[in-house]
Amino acid sequence: MTILAFLLHLLLDFLLGAGILSLLKKDRLPFGHFFIALLIGVVAETMVTFMAMWAGAGLYLAFGLSVLLALMLNVNTFINVFKNPSEFLSKTKGSFSDFSKFSIYDSLFLLLIVQKAGVILWQLFRTPTIHSDALKHWSTQGRLIYSQINFSATHGTKNFLGKQVKVVMDYPLELPIWRANSAILNNGWNEFVSRSDGLLFFIVICGIVGSVMWMLTQKRWIALGAAFIVASLPLQVWHGASGYADIGVEAFLVGAIACFIGKEFLLCGILAAGAIWCKNDGLVLYLAGIVTAVLSFHFLKKEISISKSIKEVGYFFAGLAAVLPWLIFQSLYSYSVFKKLNEPIKDMSGSPGSSAKKLKKVLEKKNLDPSESSLDLLWEHVFTGSTSGIFWIIIFLGFLILSKRLLSDQIGRGLVLFFITSSAIIYYVFTFTPAYEYLLTQTTIHRVLLQFSAAALLVLGYGVSLEMKMKKGN
């Protein structure tokens, strides 16, 4: 029943996402259509559910609205399938025909990726929820929403956002709502429901990385090899079943970068919104890089008309507006993420009460040594540490080698700016704000770099594809 409920939930999200893509006249994306549709569906389902609960509806009614929306968006599809079932079966069969063309190396890569997914499944069925943030918020909040006993979305009530259970009230609700809806489909809460979105995001990450690399190179072994690289990161499989939101941020971020590469700016905005709706890191760490990439693409190239640039940038921000209901709610009733963003700005202006003073107090209180250079810590524990292997050494070396090629390309320049901006913000946050504590104690920094890893791999992959085209042209 649990696996069936999980598959039904994936089907619901796919129908929502595919219906929205069809509504936007994007019947078939040239990369990862299924996986992009899943991510858009997750955003649509959870945001519709959230807004309905904010309006006073119960969870079951709110979730029912998502189901109803999925059915309405796909009425024509259902009619066509009913009228021409043989055509539908033929198309479905054709989707699997490429597997017959796999070489032994392709099949080996695919088998190894499936093995990684199998480890995640084993954890979901055989281990409990044990990680601190999952217990403090992500899974506990999901169970509170599902129980409808200690949770209310109405401000002023004693159970507002589960505050009596001491959850973190300013964290976004995308994953807790998704887990609560999973429990409805499963007809009960269990440890699989508590963390199963990690498996969904793992599949999506591998699918997007592989499909984009296939689009760029038309070489199956490169596509599957890239998917295997990201699947093999030491933290990837464990976060597929940890109950944390970091793998979700990774999925939405790589989806946004894939849509940027594919020049789908509206979808890029929707998935950037999904990253913010997943975790505050999506706004604090990565939004500036995505916006910089989009703006540079449109305004650093004279061949694109100003009117077209303004139109497509407008599409991006229209997609990004999908997260506005949550940001408005958070600003009204909770500790807004914008207040957190304001602290580093105060620090740079020398304002009293800045993040630098808070950092000093944190280090003194916890008796931590602030003398260690953040660059030394990053090199020792991230670049050469066990949590990422040699991944980041390869990424940064490859980025330096391919930067000239990337800068010669319109999309490539945007990717360079995204990579540099995001890297600089991560460095700043873990060096000059109280988050330095989490670099010293070797905790959050590793999860943040996991969030960034798949998108960084796509940046490198795009550079590799440019190099291959140049050599082929010669």
Side-chain angles (χ1 to χ4, degrees), residues 313-385:
V313 169
Y315 284 154
F316 170 78
F317 283 105
L320 190 62
V323 76
L324 275 180
W326 164 249
L327 294 179
I328 292 169
F329 180 92
Q330 189 187 52
S331 297
L332 289 173
Y333 306 127
S334 183
Y335 184 65
S336 171
V337 66
F338 292 107
K339 293 180 182 177
K340 295 180 181 179
L341 275 173
N342 194 37
E343 288 177 2
I345 296 172
K346 286 182 178 179
D347 185 49
M348 288 185 283
S349 65
S351 173
S354 64
S355 58
K357 292 183 178 180
K358 290 184 179 180
L359 170 58
K360 185 178 179 181
K361 289 181 181 178
V362 167
L363 296 177
E364 289 175 352
K365 183 178 179 180
K366 299 196 175 183
N367 196 28
L368 294 171
D369 182 10
S371 64
E372 293 186 76
S373 164
S374 58
L375 286 174
D376 291 339
L377 291 168
L378 286 167
W379 177 256
E380 180 181 355
H381 297 292
V382 176
F383 283 87
T384 61

Side-chain angles (χ1 to χ4, degrees), residues 412-433:
R413 284 192 292 274
L415 293 176
V416 167
L417 287 171
F418 160 75
F419 184 84
I420 291 174
T421 302
S422 299
S423 298
I425 291 173
I426 291 170
Y427 172 75
Y428 176 83
V429 166
F430 284 95
T431 301
F432 299 107
T433 76

Side-chain angles (χ1 to χ4, degrees), residues 198-224:
L199 177 59
L200 160 64
F201 293 130
F202 176 84
I203 293 168
V204 164
I205 291 164
C206 293
I208 289 176
V209 169
S211 61
V212 170
M213 291 310 299
W214 167 255
M215 178 186 72
L216 294 174
T217 67
Q218 294 298 300
K219 292 187 181 295
R220 192 175 285 108
W221 70 270
I222 292 180
L224 288 167

Side-chain angles (χ1 to χ4, degrees), residues 89-110:
L89 291 172
S90 177
K91 287 182 179 179
T92 303
K93 185 179 178 181
S95 300
F96 293 95
S97 62
D98 281 347
F99 287 105
S100 62
K101 302 174 185 177
F102 276 30
S103 69
I104 187 170
Y105 303 108
D106 299 335
S107 301
L108 180 60
F109 276 134
L110 185 61

Side-chain angles (χ1 to χ4, degrees), residues 56-76:
L59 175 66
Y60 282 79
L61 175 58
F63 178 55
L65 293 175
S66 298
V67 176
L68 180 62
L69 179 61
L71 295 174
M72 291 172 60
L73 288 172
N74 290 275
V75 168
N76 291 334

